[in-house]
Amino acid sequence: MTLSSAATSAREMLVRLHDVMAARTTAQAKLNSVVKIIGAATNSEVCSIYLLRDGVLELFATQGLDQAAVHVTKMALGEGLVGTIAQHVEMLNLDEAASHPDFAYKPETGEEKFHSFAGVPIIRRERAVGVLCVQHIEPHRYADVEVEALQTVAMVLSELIANADLIDATGAATTRPQSTAAMRIPGLKLVEGMARGVAVFHQPRITIEHTVAEDVEAERHRVYGAFDKMREQIERMAAQAEFGSGGEHDEVLETYKMFAYDEGWARRINEAIDSGLTAEAAIERVQQRTRMRMRQIDDPLLAERMHDLEDLSNRLLRIVSGQMGTAAQLGLRADSILIARNLGPAELLEYDRRRLKGVLLEEGSLTAHVTIVARAMGVPVLGRVKDVRRLIGEGDLLLLDVTDGSVFARPTPLIEESFEGKLLLSQKRRASFAALKDAPPTTLDGTRMTLMVNAGLRDDVAALDLTGADGIGLFRTEFQFLVSATLPQRERQQRLYRDVLEAAGDRPVIFRTVDIGGDKALPYLKDDAGDEENPAMGWRAIRLALERDGLMKAQARALIEAAAGRTLNVMFPMVSEPWEFDEAQALFETQRAWIASRQRKLPTLIRYGAMLEVPALAEMLDVLLPRLDFLSIGTNDLTQFLFAADRANPKLAERYDWLSPAILRFLARVVGPTRAAGVDLAVCGEMGGRTLEAMALIGLGIERLSITPAAVGPVKAMIRSLDRGQLMTDMAVMLARPPRDMRAALASWASDNNVELS
Ligand code: PEP
Ligand code: MG
């Protein structure tokens, strides 16, 4: 396909459609003319338009099929080729329609004589409100250029059907949710918490008033102008204090910049204008095409980048249409729950934190930039909420309960009452935990535990003061790399580390060297990693760092220089054999010597530690321990390897228990020699953040936990109600002859001994 011929073909149709649209006739008459024009332009025997009415696709106009079928033939979403196109919002281009598995024969149409079939969705507000299709007697696929032209025409049709009289007739383009009843909508837990607020759409919907251009040159100028303005806005955002030098967020803005100056994107929009669309319609058309492509590509990282592009595309659309302002810019007027298909982290930060109570994302993932930032802001987020923008209307009351993995829309008074009860309880509990901030995590029998927090972003450091934690037991340095479009340079790393150390004051911070690769793949290292079948067991963490030692050297220098005059705690992830630890430590020591040779100030002490995440390392503790200052058990990875169960696979999430005797026995075998060697031992996986699990770890003799900040209060309360000595004695007995359900046994021990669990 040549793009210019696509443009010409579409343009010819649009010129003819333009007159139809302007005519003072009924919507039905317009549709009847449209199918004739498109049928003729594509040399098709048949051209039909189906529109969604009452949730069913109804044949509204046709040329070539039996006219008696109009308003009679109906397809459910997902039924037949037309229903499939609408359901998946995807085009189909077939040389033999009947051989497609989804083909459904409708005898009243008389379509059996037509072989080839091409159909495209008519899209409004990102969902299909109808289908435009053409059919031909000859069994040959339509040319790409013709399908492209159909897609452009479908945009214009979406304007036509949005025209008041047709919308009223079809009810297709309603912005209201299809149901107004109370409804529980499930999703994926991204950031825990509960919230109540009214539904606010991040992007107040932009209505594209006109799709067919009167003057192509004028439209082109409008787009050029909008691009300039958008670039200006992004430069300004980058300069703002909040995103100022050193912040993680300006790295996200670098991605925006990359796209804002991307010539390919501007060119595609220009080509759509060439085909006769207005600037707004052209931007939307390119965005639609990108979305359709994205649905076919199963690459989460690319998807993240595409969301950044989508952000910008929306921004461009707002500028060009003069319908400026996200909900953030218009200002939140009440406690709100924000709804978006996806958000950029910078966009999230534009909201008034006092009114922003929660976020619902149609997409979203645990490692997405926005999730990382929301966690730092303390805003609960529910992701993968399917169809959220269809099921929820602007202004609906929402009760968000991420802990339950759901949101309630338009709750009944009874549901509200029960939610309020739960919320009150959780607030009360949170207040009582906050009151424990300055109380030491000491057991009833007098052992002072060490409770530290896991962190990864600059803002996370605030958690130290809020929770009264003893330090940062795991600083995931890869977060800075994850929120960055390009590899963070050494100076930038150093600034972050220094800021974190300064904010922590006397409290220790354990910096883990980058654990990238695996599920935390970086786009700029992807080519080196290649496609891995099992990325969690692949080229990641220290394996990658020792081979690409430039990365580790830069980080070592950044850390050593940042910790000048203080103690530096460095920890290496995914150590599988002692020599890996030795090499990593030697690399740091070489950097220390180099910095010393430059007469620069050094840390007063560098303490080196390893993470125990790979089971094999447990067999080598006698060799490794004498070299270590500390050991930290990463139970997230360790348990997935012990059970050979992918930690990211939801099907296995419930299958193996952290409290299974196998895991507890394994941990007990590590605790003994490590304590005997006088090496500090901590657990820094998520396991330690749950009260019953934390209790079990303490029962094994573990005295240090590094956990998510929100868990500090509950775990501290548990510790303060615990007789550690008794638990250790009883657990040794339980583990010698493990009961079948260890979790139940431990829970009943806790209950018998009045341990405060939550
Ligand atoms: C772990 O594996 O337990 C751990 C703390 O590291 P991460 O979750 O970052 O892989
Ligand atoms: Mg890990």
Side-chain angles (χ1 to χ4, degrees), residues 429 433 689-693 710-711 713-715 717-718 755-758:
R429 220 184 277 141
F433 293 145
R690 303 196 182 184
T691 49
L692 186 62
E693 279 82 342
V715 169
M718 179 278 293
V755 179
E756 200 176 307
L757 295 182
S758 47

Side-chain angles (χ1 to χ4, degrees), residues 82-231:
V82 167
T84 303
I85 291 168
Q87 188 173 41
H88 300 299
V89 201
E90 256 168 26
M91 65 94 175
L92 278 181
N93 185 7
L94 309 167
D95 51 7
E96 192 53 76
S99 57
H100 190 280
D102 291 328
F103 179 77
Y105 177 54
K106 296 277 172 179
E108 71 276 11
T109 60
E111 66 180 331
E112 57 278 12
K113 44 187 182 295
F114 306 109
H115 293 275
S116 54
F117 173 100
V120 298
I122 300 169
I123 303 170
R124 189 143 181 89
R125 301 195 173 113
E126 295 177 36
R127 63 191 183 100
V129 292
V131 171
L132 166 67
C133 56
V134 287
Q135 289 170 273
H136 199 289
I137 287 188
E138 298 296 322
H140 68 74
R141 274 164 61 94
Y142 280 87
D144 287 345
V145 54
E146 291 170 313
V147 176
E148 275 281 319
L150 282 180
Q151 285 174 324
T152 302
V153 169
M155 277 221 63
V156 178
L157 281 179
S158 109
E159 178 193 334
L160 178 68
I161 66 160
N163 174 307
D165 49 352
L166 200 57
I167 287 174
D168 290 343
T170 64
T174 173
T175 58
R176 294 298 309 157
Q178 290 188 341
S179 159
T180 48
M183 178 182 262
R184 178 182 176 277
I185 311 167
L188 180 73
K189 299 176 191 182
L190 294 182
V191 180
E192 292 269 347
M194 293 176 81
R196 174 203 171 91
V198 292
V200 169
F201 286 89
H202 171 61
Q203 304 265 315
R205 285 175 168 147
I206 290 179
T207 337
I208 298 181
E209 307 276 351
H210 299 292
T211 47
V212 182
E214 300 278 344
D215 176 350
V216 168
E217 274 317 304
E219 296 303 317
R220 212 188 297 286
H221 273 103
R222 292 179 64 218
V223 163
Y224 286 152
F227 259 101
D228 285 347
K229 208 162 186 179
M230 177 181 71
R231 288 169 185 157

Side-chain angles (χ1 to χ4, degrees), residues 338-376:
L338 189 65
I339 300 175
R341 177 196 174 104
N342 216 330
L343 277 179
E347 286 182 308
L348 183 65
L349 283 163
E350 282 179 358
Y351 281 90
D352 176 354
R353 292 182 195 191
R354 287 162 306 171
R355 295 240 159 109
L356 179 68
K357 298 297 172 190
V359 177
L360 297 181
L361 297 177
E362 203 153 4
E363 299 178 348
S365 70
L366 270 170
T367 51
H369 304 162
V370 67
T371 312
I372 297 170
V373 173
R375 196 172 292 129

